[in-house]
Amino acid sequence: MILRFSFNSLKIIKNTQSLRCISTTSNLKCNSQVRGSENKPDDGEKWTTIYRLPQIRIFSTANKIKIHQGILALLSSPLAWVAETTSNLPEGTFTAVTTIGVTGFLSLTAFSLLLRNVVGFIYLDSTGKRIKLAYVGFLGERKEAILSADDVVRADDLPPLKYKFFYPLSFRNSKDKFVVFYRGGSLQDQDKFGMIFGYDLL
């Protein structure tokens, strides 16, 4: 009796998980199966990865640290003030804790300004006319932008780069600026990448 109950319970759980994997609009795979391809855009169109930056998670984490630093500074400063006024900590503790917290937050914020808009993935659509950029935002979140490949300011059209480590990616019809660390990145398709961004980067 107990074995039959356990078998039926497992069967119900399995059917429930199967139902969760079914979409009314399209046949999507289960989250556990899609998790391995979470870096690929899924908007119903066919996109091919031509560039990826393996260290993009490090850049994202670096941009998120300032949030934790700010919260820590907000919590530690009042506690230091209470401890100092009750003579549990020596005089000057509140000033020291507040100074360290504020300067640390400002330093990390300035560092995040340098790391924002770092491109982690570049996708090319099936027509070769559009590219999709997956980049890091100011708060470390993943953002995406779809732009015309013809609007890319190619490296061949720019003055020679002094430090051939990153490429300041810009577009003719957009004010957005991006950073491509092509030296540390992995080119999935060199021909298509060079055709769009310039063969000087290869």
Side-chain angles (χ1 to χ4, degrees):
M1 188 70 181
I2 296 176
L3 292 175
R4 182 180 298 177
F5 175 77
S6 301
F7 177 77
N8 292 335
S9 300
L10 291 173
K11 190 173 182 180
I12 293 173
I13 293 173
K14 184 177 180 181
N15 293 335
T16 304
Q17 291 178 345
S18 301
L19 290 174
R20 290 178 180 175
C21 297
I22 298 176
S23 173
T24 56
T25 57
S26 60
N27 293 328
L28 298 178
K29 294 182 179 180
C30 193
N31 291 335
S32 60
Q33 298 173 340
V34 179
R35 192 173 302 165
S37 59
E38 61 182 355
N39 291 324
K40 295 183 180 180
D42 185 13
D43 53 5
E45 300 181 60
K46 186 177 180 180
W47 296 86
T48 303
T49 305
I50 61 175
Y51 165 88
R52 69 180 184 89
L53 182 65
Q55 300 84 2
I56 191 61
R57 292 187 181 275
I58 299 177
F59 289 100
S60 177
T61 303
N63 278 6
K64 292 178 180 178
I65 290 178
K66 65 177 177 294
I67 302 175
H68 304 287
Q69 169 68 18
I71 295 174
L72 182 62
L74 289 175
L75 295 177
S76 60
S77 294
L79 293 176
W81 179 78
V82 172
E84 183 179 333
T85 54
T86 56
S87 300
N88 290 324
L89 288 176
E91 186 177 352
T93 301
F94 170 73
T95 303
V97 170
T98 303
T99 302
I100 294 173
V102 172
T103 55
F105 176 75
L106 293 178
S107 299
L108 292 173
T109 300
F111 186 62
S112 295
L113 292 175
L114 299 176
L115 296 182
R116 66 174 180 173
N117 293 358
V118 173
V119 177
F121 293 86
I122 300 178
Y123 308 96
L124 181 67
D125 72 346
S126 55
T127 64
K129 298 296 184 180
R130 297 186 305 162
I131 59 174
K132 176 178 287 190
L133 306 178
Y135 60 97
V136 175
F138 178 70
L139 298 178
E141 75 280 17
R142 174 188 168 117
K143 292 187 174 182
E144 293 183 350
I146 299 178
L147 299 159
S148 173
D150 296 332
D151 291 338
V152 175
V153 179
R154 293 165 51 89
D156 303 343
D157 301 331
L158 296 174
L161 298 176
K162 186 176 181 180
Y163 303 103
K164 291 189 175 182
F165 180 65
F166 67 91
Y167 169 50
L169 177 60
S170 58
F171 297 84
R172 295 183 179 89
N173 297 326
S174 176
K175 296 181 179 180
D176 295 328
K177 304 289 184 181
F178 303 93
V179 178
V180 178
F181 288 90
Y182 62 94
R183 287 299 182 188
S186 174
L187 299 181
Q188 308 296 303
D189 193 320
Q190 291 190 3
D191 292 335
K192 292 180 180 179
F193 184 89
M195 179 180 62
I196 297 174
F197 300 100
Y199 289 98
D200 286 352
L201 300 179
L202 302 179

